[in-house]
């Protein structure tokens, strides 16, 4: 990151970091309205059956070779190499269309390499659509919007935030008058090529999501999907793309304004190239340079379904929220209600509301073993969100839910969840995977957390895959993470919590949140009563 300008952390989880504090403000500034009468040409996903591509033929060949009666195939992407290499492969293999939908795309090296590939695909005739939630498009990250000015690329910003893009603080100040709408965000993640292969899961695009950050890296999980299920993913993309909440970049900022911003936030002659700018010479990274060989990718063919929130979950500017039906998290609660034997959950931000607590209690009453892996205070990049989880720990333990909290040191995770693969062994690990395994036969991977924000505020997406093989693969990784990389909580007598360390760590039991400072714990204790669960 350039030293000349103070910019948001590439792993900042706003609006989480400020939403629980901003609501306390007793005043708000007026903000400029959003553009009116915006032209949004309607477009839809490629008809894969009518326009067969190399990827379509590859999927058909792989399915026939497997002799499967199921038409859709899946591959877990549990490490940064697979996660990044799969996206590179989709960019290079696309012949007709590329559709990207993300909550955040950071203007750093890993994103720049991907976006240069996307720009190259556009130059060879691939139609590119990029749909990005607008919250993080400030400072350096706003330069990603330059992709909108690449020929054959369309880019839209979902649920725009009013205010200057040079400063996240300025936009926060300018959006307080419209806080209810602004703090609701499009959290979906999709990366789709030719409506035939696509990636979904927890990762945004940026160094910290691919193990490249020197200080902080996310532990995450994605799924590479192939076949007809991708058409469902594309239909969800189209519903957001053609929604009036999606604004073409050109209606929000001009090319000249972007160039002025570039000069302001990047040192002269330096900076990560984005949006087709010439690549700066830098050392090659082996995994960074090689796309996955999709011809040898090990797909598991299985029945599947997709859950996706409707765009109407986020109200239009100045309008009341519309009916949007059941949410992705509601669907997960229904799955929990049908669990008979075992429920495994990974939720980085775990703030259970009343209905979630009832679902856990009902599962335990049926004799279901429930284990939850979430962030510790030390591994949580949004400490205020930890407050909402911490206030429910004792109640969850009392009902028999087994709680595990990720240890922040990355060294303890090299064999857990496919390794976080960071650039530096001492970098902090932060849990970001969103996974459920139900009765060892159903795997859920998506963008959602088990919290009220995912249930009530943000839009989310999830894949439900009925496969004992994939469920066992994911469960094995979760088990390893719990044993080797997480603290196990226990509620002892005298109303005390104790944290038991990971196996083989050589650490002692802890009686306060491990690896966290006294000052942070005291601050959160003061803020806790003021922070409602639904805003965390």
């Amino acid at each position: 990151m350039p030293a000349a300008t103070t910019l948001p952390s590439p792993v900042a989880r706003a609006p989480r970091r400020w939403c629980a504090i901003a609501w306390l403000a007793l005043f708000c500034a007026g903000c400029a309205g959003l553009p009116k009468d915006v032209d949004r040409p309607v477009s839809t996903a490629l008809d894969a059956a009518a326009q067969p591509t190399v990827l379509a033929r590859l999927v058909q060949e792989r399915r026939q070779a497997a002799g499967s009666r199921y038409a859709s195939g899946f591959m877990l992407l549990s490490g940064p190499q697979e996660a990044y290499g799969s996206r590179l492969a989709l960019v290079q293999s696309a012949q007709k269309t590329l559709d990207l939908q993300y909550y955040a795309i950071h203007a750093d090296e890993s994103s720049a390499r991907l976006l240069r590939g996307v720009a190259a695909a556009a130059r060879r005739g691939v139609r590119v659509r990029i749909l990005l939630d607008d919250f993080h498009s400030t400072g350096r990250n706003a330069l990603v919007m330059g992709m909108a000015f690449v020929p054959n690329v369309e880019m839209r910003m979902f649920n725009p935030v009013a205010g200057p893009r040079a400063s996240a603080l300025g936009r926060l100040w300018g959006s307080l008058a419209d806080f209810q709408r602004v703090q609701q965000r499009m959290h979906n993640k999709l990366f789709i090529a030719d409506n035939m292969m696509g990636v979904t899961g927890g990762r945004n695009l940026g160094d910290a999501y691919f193990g490249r950050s020197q200080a902080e890296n996310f532990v995450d999980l994605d799924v590479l999907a192939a076949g007809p299920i991708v058409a469902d993913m594309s239909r969800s993309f189209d519903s957001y793309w053609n929604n009036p909440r999606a604004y073409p970049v050109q209606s929000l900022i001009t090319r000249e304004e972007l160039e002025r911003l570039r000069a302001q936030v990047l040192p002269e002659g330096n900076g990560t190239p984005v949006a087709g700018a010439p690549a700066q010479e830098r050392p090659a990274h082996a995994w960074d340079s090689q796309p996955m060989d999709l011809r040898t990718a090990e797909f598991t063919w299985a029945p599947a379904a997709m859950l996706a929130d409707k765009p109407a979950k986020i109200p239009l500017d100045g309008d009341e929220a519309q009916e949007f039906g059941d949410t992705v998290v509601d669907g997960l609660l229904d799955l929990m209600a049908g669990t008979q034997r075992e429920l495994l959950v990974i939720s980085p931000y775990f703030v259970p509301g009343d209905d979630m607590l009832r679902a856990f209690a009902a599962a335990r009453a049926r004799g279901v073993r429930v284990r939850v892996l979430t962030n510790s205070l030390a591994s949580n990049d949004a400490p205020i969100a930890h407050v909402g989880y911490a206030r429910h720990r004792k109640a969850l333990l009392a009902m028999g839910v087994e709680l595990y909290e990720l240890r922040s040191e990355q060294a303890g995770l090299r064999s857990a969840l496919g390794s976080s693969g960071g650039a530096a062994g001492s970098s902090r690990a932060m849990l970001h995977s969103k996974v459920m395994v139900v009765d060892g036969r159903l795997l859920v991977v998506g963008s959602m957390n088990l919290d009220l924000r995912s249930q009530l505020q943000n839009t989310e997406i999830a894949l439900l895959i009925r496969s004992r093989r994939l469920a066992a693969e994911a469960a094995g990784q979760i088990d390893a993470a719990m044993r080797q990389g997480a603290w196990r909580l226990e509620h002892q007598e005298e109303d005390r919590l104790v944290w038991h360390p990971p196996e083989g760590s050589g650490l002692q039991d802890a009686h306060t949140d491990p690896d966290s400072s006294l000052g942070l714990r005291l601050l959160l204790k003061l803020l806790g009563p003021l922070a409602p669960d639904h805003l965390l």
Side-chain angles (χ1 to χ4, degrees), residues 39-114:
D39 185 26
R40 299 177 180 85
V42 174
S43 62
T44 56
L46 171 76
D47 185 343
Q51 302 184 58
T53 61
V54 168
L55 286 178
R57 290 191 290 272
L58 175 61
V59 171
Q60 184 178 15
E61 292 169 1
R62 297 300 305 279
R63 181 195 172 199
Q64 290 175 346
S68 174
R69 62 192 176 100
Y70 301 116
S72 295
F74 305 91
M75 176 183 178
L76 293 187
L77 306 171
S78 55
Q81 295 183 10
E82 290 181 348
Y84 198 77
S86 63
R87 288 169 171 84
L88 282 176
L90 294 181
V91 168
Q92 295 187 10
S93 301
Q95 292 181 296
K96 299 289 186 180
T97 62
L98 278 171
D99 291 332
L100 281 63
Q101 180 180 9
Y102 279 94
Y103 169 64
I105 301 178
H106 297 295
D108 52 27
E109 290 190 32
S110 58
S111 293
R113 168 146 167 74
L114 274 173

Side-chain angles (χ1 to χ4, degrees), residues 12 54 65 103 131 174 208 246 291 333 370 387 415:
V54 168
Y103 169 64
L131 181 60
L333 293 176
V370 180
V387 171
S415 60

Side-chain angles (χ1 to χ4, degrees), residues 245-265:
R245 298 161 181 80
Y247 287 68
V249 163
Q250 288 84 347
S251 71
L252 301 172
I253 194 168
T254 66
R255 186 197 295 265
E256 291 71 26
E257 288 171 332
L258 271 178
E259 287 304 316
R260 287 196 293 270
L261 180 61
R262 178 188 294 272
Q264 180 179 349
V265 302

Side-chain angles (χ1 to χ4, degrees), residues 57-299:
R57 290 191 290 272
L58 175 61
V59 171
Q60 184 178 15
E61 292 169 1
R62 297 300 305 279
R63 181 195 172 199
Q64 290 175 346
S68 174
R69 62 192 176 100
Y70 301 116
S72 295
F74 305 91
M75 176 183 178
L76 293 187
L77 306 171
S78 55
Q81 295 183 10
E82 290 181 348
Y84 198 77
S86 63
R87 288 169 171 84
L88 282 176
L90 294 181
V91 168
Q92 295 187 10
S93 301
Q95 292 181 296
K96 299 289 186 180
T97 62
L98 278 171
D99 291 332
L100 281 63
Q101 180 180 9
Y102 279 94
Y103 169 64
I105 301 178
H106 297 295
D108 52 27
E109 290 190 32
S110 58
S111 293
R113 168 146 167 74
L114 274 173
L115 293 179
R116 287 198 300 271
V118 169
R123 287 194 294 271
R124 66 174 187 265
V126 176
R127 184 199 68 183
V128 175
R129 297 184 296 175
I130 302 175
L131 181 60
L132 179 62
D133 183 88
D134 189 56
F135 195 85
H136 285 280
S137 57
T138 60
R140 183 190 183 103
N141 289 335
L143 301 183
V144 172
M145 299 169 72
M147 287 295 295
F149 301 95
V150 175
N152 215 28
V153 174
E154 295 178 81
M155 186 173 184
R156 297 181 182 180
M157 310 299 290
F158 200 84
N159 196 22
V161 180
R165 295 187 180 273
S167 164
L169 182 61
R171 290 226 297 178
L172 166 60
W173 179 263
S175 62
L176 286 176
D178 200 10
F179 177 71
Q180 177 59 35
R181 178 187 67 83
V182 168
Q183 60 91 32
Q184 294 183 252
R185 306 314 314 170
M186 182 191 77
H187 201 233
N188 313 37
K189 286 99 174 173
L190 289 172
F191 200 115
I192 304 171
D194 289 344
N195 199 16
M196 188 51 59
M197 283 193 184
V199 174
T200 190
R203 282 183 177 87
N204 295 296
L205 301 185
D207 287 353
Y209 297 94
F210 297 110
R212 291 288 306 278
S213 173
Q214 294 293 325
E216 301 173 317
N217 283 286
F218 287 113
V219 180
D220 224 320
L221 186 72
D222 289 326
V223 172
L224 172 63
I229 190 66
V230 179
D232 293 336
M233 298 159 65
S234 291
R235 276 190 285 273
S236 176
F237 178 94
D238 287 345
S239 72
Y240 282 81
W241 179 260
N242 295 310
N243 191 274
R245 298 161 181 80
Y247 287 68
V249 163
Q250 288 84 347
S251 71
L252 301 172
I253 194 168
T254 66
R255 186 197 295 265
E256 291 71 26
E257 288 171 332
L258 271 178
E259 287 304 316
R260 287 196 293 270
L261 180 61
R262 178 188 294 272
Q264 180 179 349
V265 302
L266 294 181
E268 184 177 355
N270 193 14
T272 302
V274 176
Q280 184 179 358
E281 292 296 326
R282 50 174 65 84
H285 300 270
W287 67 267
D288 181 59
S289 301
Q290 298 300 319
M292 175 186 290
D293 187 348
L294 297 174
R295 297 168 300 177
T296 59
E298 295 185 7
F299 287 100

Side-chain angles (χ1 to χ4, degrees), residues 2 56 103 127 138 317 326 342 439 461 467 484 502 527 529 531 535:
Y103 169 64
R127 184 199 68 183
T138 60
D317 183 32
D326 291 340
E342 183 178 31
D439 287 337
I461 193 168
S467 167
Q484 303 168 17
L527 292 177
L535 286 180

